[in-house]
Every structure is written in structure tokens, then in C-alpha cells.
Amino acid sequence: MRQERLQTLLRGALRLVYPPRCLTCGGLVESDHGLCGPCWRDTPFLGGLSCDLCGVPLPGHSDVAEHCDACRVQERPWAQGRAALLYKGNGRKLVLMLKHADRTDIAGPAARWMARGLQGLDAGTLVVPVPLHLRRHLRRRYNQSALLGAALARELGLRHCPDALRRNRATPSLDGKGAEERFATLDGAISVTGREDLAGRSVLLVDDVMTSGATLSAASLACKQAGAAQVMVSVLARVAKDT
């Protein structure tokens, strides 16, 4: 009891010195790792009807799983896909801060937003982040997808497997490339490491952003070739046209 009281006093003292700040604008907020009112309002959270395979928002309402035009044309090697945010405005800002600005504190709240669309998963599901090539990992010092995967696994009470997949080669940046070129670039670029037995298991692939789905397709195919029973994907943000 005395120790708990001391910890409470220490937390209170820290809050006086380092008050909670908004993740995006740095303004004062009531609790750690949150968004202020205006930033919450301006953050493009995804809700309502969305594509069951890639998470892109769809118009109207439906009581059954719907697929967008892109997913009807491009076969997806995963069973379901979910996204928490649109990759624009504050959604894009949060992703870029996590990815390039050492804002690893964003991973925790981001995982809570991602977990909202992932309730009811099998307890044996393995959380597998999309890997970075070693060269890029060393340059960036961390894999943002692995940070999201670890936090998401804690939120869902699942096992995190950060070393299940590897990048076989250092692929160039996909920025500015069309869908066909993205898929060609990622073909065969990801494989399993053999450190995790995926055979017969459900896998939840985690990444920061989905654009064409080429990276997630390469990772999904690697999991399925290793015998995964089912693959699902979860991303923090989804690129979508005309939104």
C-alpha cells in the first residue's frame, strides 16, 4: 500500500513537470497518448461501411461483407482486411511521425484504434508484422510495423511474432509507382524465416499503410506457402482515392 501511494505521488509529480500532450499538435490533453478535441475531430477515423478485404470506405450501408472495385479486380491472398484511418490529413501525419520522426509513442494509441475492428479473433492467432530489410532497419533503428504489431498483440491478448518474416532483398521505395510496378517490385521479396511454425495457424499481418496492397500480398503469400490456415491484415492507415 505504501509503495502504491509512493508511485501515485511520483506519477502526479511527473504530470506537473511533463503534462500530457496531444499526439499531433502538442497541446495539453487530459490523459497520456491522446488527441485534443480539435485534432480528434480532424483525424480521419474510418467507420461505417468499408471493403471487407482492404478497409477502403464504401458508400451506403450493407448487412453483408462488401468488396470495393479494386478488390474485385485484384485477387487478395488474405481473407479480411481492416484499417483504422485514412491516409490523409492527421492520419498521414501520424503515420509519418511514427515512421520517420522517432515518435514510437504513437504505436500504443494507434494499436487501440486498430483493435476496434479486430474483435473476436481466434485466441491462437499469431500477430506478424511486415518486415523491413536489414539495411533499412539499421538506418531507421526500428520497424514501425513491429511496434504496431507488439502493441496490437497486447491489446488483443495474442502472441506477437516479430521475426516470422524477412525481406529477401532491399526493394526501392514504392512512392510514385503504379500498382502493377509495385506488385512486380515486391514479387518474391518476402519469405518466412522458419523461426515460427505458421502451419495450420491464423495469421494477422500488421503494417502501417496500405496503398495497392503489394507488400501485404507478398507477405500473405509467404505465410500461406508456409501453411498458414488463414491470413488477415490490419493497417493503421489506408490510402484511398477521392476521399
Side-chain angles (χ1 to χ4, degrees):
M1 183 68 71
R2 185 176 180 181
Q3 185 177 5
E4 292 177 0
R5 185 179 180 187
L6 179 60
Q7 290 175 343
T8 300
L9 290 172
L10 287 173
R11 284 195 294 269
L14 284 172
R15 280 181 174 273
L16 290 175
V17 180
Y18 303 106
R21 298 282 181 176
C22 174
L23 289 172
T24 54
C25 74
L28 293 174
V29 291
E30 293 184 0
S31 59
D32 292 319
H33 312 304
L35 297 171
C36 67
C39 285
W40 180 273
R41 180 197 62 214
D42 294 338
T43 299
F45 290 99
L46 282 169
L49 183 63
S50 62
C51 175
D52 193 53
L53 283 173
C54 74
V56 74
L58 297 174
H61 303 275
S62 178
D63 295 326
V64 298
E66 300 288 352
H67 296 160
C68 67
D69 292 341
C71 287
R72 291 193 182 104
V73 173
Q74 177 68 53
E75 183 178 357
R76 305 295 192 184
W78 62 80
Q80 285 185 318
R82 298 290 183 267
L85 309 170
L86 278 176
Y87 187 70
K88 68 175 186 178
N90 279 349
R92 182 176 183 274
K93 183 177 181 179
L94 285 162
V95 168
L96 294 179
M97 288 193 298
L98 170 63
K99 193 170 185 174
H100 298 299
D102 292 335
R103 287 293 305 277
T104 58
D105 57 307
I106 291 172
R112 290 195 291 274
W113 303 332
M114 294 164 70
R116 293 172 184 168
L118 296 168
Q119 301 305 314
L121 295 181
D122 183 89
T125 299
L126 303 178
V127 179
V128 176
V130 168
L132 285 177
H133 187 267
L134 179 60
R135 192 183 307 163
R136 185 168 294 174
H137 199 155
L138 291 173
R139 185 168 64 247
R140 193 174 293 167
R141 302 189 308 281
Y142 61 89
N143 178 1
Q144 72 281 356
S145 299
L147 294 178
L148 289 170
L152 188 56
R154 288 194 297 271
E155 286 290 322
L156 299 172
L158 302 175
R159 183 180 166 207
H160 183 223
C161 302
D163 299 320
L165 299 176
R166 65 166 166 254
R167 290 263 185 169
N168 301 319
R169 61 179 185 272
T171 53
S173 171
L174 300 178
D175 290 347
K177 297 183 185 295
E180 186 174 341
E181 192 174 1
R182 284 171 178 262
F183 278 89
T185 300
L186 270 296
D187 185 33
I190 298 176
S191 65
V192 296
T193 62
R195 296 176 185 173
E196 300 289 346
D197 184 7
L198 304 184
R201 307 293 294 271
S202 292
V203 171
L204 177 64
L205 278 176
V206 177
D207 206 359
D208 55 347
V209 180
M210 184 194 305
T211 303
S212 66
T215 302
L216 287 161
S217 289
S220 296
L221 288 171
C223 291
K224 294 181 76 172
Q225 288 166 4
Q230 178 178 255
V231 178
M232 296 160 285
V233 302
S234 176
V235 296
L236 174 56
R238 177 71 168 99
V239 175
K241 297 178 180 179
D242 302 324
T243 57

